[in-house]
Amino acid sequence: MGNRPRPLVLTIVDTTGIQEYIFGSNKLQHSIGASYLVHWATNGAVYETLHQLEGGARATNVRLDGVIEQDRQLGAGGVAAELLYSGGGNAVILFRDLPLAQTFTRRLTRLLLDKAPGLQVVVVHHPVTDAAAVLADAVQSAMQRMAKKKQQRRHSMPLLGLGVTAMCGYTGMPAVAEDAEDKDRRLISAEIQAKNAILNDAEQRLRADVQDQLRDAKLWFIRDFDDLGSKGESSYMAVVYIDGNGMGKRVEALASHHAGSDDDYIIAMRNFAASIQTAARVALRDAVRTLQMAIREEQGQERIGGVIPIKGKRLPFRPIVFGGDDATFVCDGRLGLTLAELYLRAMEQKLSDGETLYARAGVAVVKSHYPFSRAYELAEELAKSAKTFIQEHQAKFGESRLSALDWHFGVNGVVLGLKELRARDYHCAGADAGALTMRPVLVNDAALSASARPWRTWDTFTKIIDVFRDPNGDWAQSRNKLKKLRETLREGPAATKQFLQIAAPAKHLYEVPGNPGSAETGWIVGERSTCFDAVEALDFYVPLLEATAPGGEE
């Protein structure tokens, strides 16, 4: 075992246009099937195609179930194609020569055209001819070529039909069948047909990750947006997007550290990919377990936190993208904040490189039938906002061990971008005021030194909201007063102080540590409101351990 024989060809398989492919339909089943096909394209489809090459299973080092045989490598024992690793949405493979790599590509793309029409794949072949070439450097160069190729690639122009053709009711593409899952039997394209056909496989993949966490064999996850809310209940869903921090730099560091040996580099990358998958699995399982721990029966109806009903043995939660450092899930709108924070904390595990995984999350809470693609875009934008908050804190205090969360409640629909929304609806123009929001917030501030710990944290947010939710507190059964407080906060610190003195003299606000005036005004003067976010979130926040419904009318 050691360095692989040169020359060789390094091939990278990656997918592109994923957002539109997974989230372009407003039917949850389509997104579930699409996500599975994206995962399969750089995993199962790659394994299957490698086994179809000359020599079959003996010519590669990976089994059809994805298990890599570590003792088999390129150039030894008849191995002509060695899978380095698959993870992070791509697969990296070594081939003995370019013709074999091209044969693999032709067969893989044909397989994907047959079983995943509409999914776009990009492949890069990177010859390594110099006997002294460093494999780790070659992989980084190939990755850079891949990024450039994805940016500069020619976009395919699908054939929109010949003669008289019917259009798909979801994509506008030529229809090939009727949707058996739809009561109206709408016509569907080959792409939607493929996403429907793979649903059982998608369910099996999820079941393999979480089945032993389910307390009841009949308990499962939603498969339709209509399962989120009903008459008399919330009609909002939360779309949550989570992404790991600085993962590209960590991969580059691994390549640099293990540049002296092909074996060391390959083992390091395989271990790194496996440790990410483990962290993702732990986070998902923790979410499922915590949801179930919060279920209790009240008057013959099982509810999460005493608030959110379990209908038809289905948890109001559905993982869509999972298994890596990025994740996307949908849930009842009242669970979005709680589950996002839980996910971020659960993902904070030490990976194989010895460093902990930190991430950021965006939570878009929208009407259940709001365009899914737009809700996902908003969640991504919110995650970027959380990333910027992390970077600002890092620049100020030199602290990189941070996870952060941002959110938006789109109760009136979302048309503008996040920056425009915040400027228009969440800013008080008074000379002594500022932003109405405290978000984004850090979720792991306990690990920080006191001097580097900001007040804008999840812990502060929950303490503020608990003041309003406390059934024995000042604001108990004061729904109308809370609504008036929210509107008054928009007018600035002076107006809020006057409101509290005259209209709510017996009621108190949370005092942010180090800012005693915040209990009197609800503001850190000249900076931000301390409690606007908490008041706004009352209807959209259900803690999972000891939740109760928000207070009623005064």
Side-chain angles (χ1 to χ4, degrees), residues 38-48 64 66 83 86-87 89-91 277:
V38 169
H39 170 79
W40 172 77
T42 55
N43 289 274
V46 169
Y47 314 150
E48 184 178 334
L64 285 173
L83 177 69
S86 57
N90 54 57
Q277 291 170 6

Side-chain angles (χ1 to χ4, degrees), residues 222 224-230 234-237 316 331-332 368:
I222 60 167
D224 195 301
F225 290 128
D226 289 336
D227 293 333
L228 292 172
S230 61
S234 172
S235 60
Y236 290 91
M237 69 174 178
C331 60
D332 185 290
S368 295

Side-chain angles (χ1 to χ4, degrees), residues 40 44 64 85 121-122 131 140 152 158 188 234 247 276 279 287 301 315 377 476 519 535 544 546:
W40 172 77
L64 285 173
Y85 65 90
V121 177
V122 180
Q140 292 303 302
Q152 298 179 348
I188 57 174
S234 172
M247 301 305 288
I276 292 173
Q301 172 70 66
L315 291 171
E377 288 173 2
V535 176
L544 296 178
E546 39 75 43

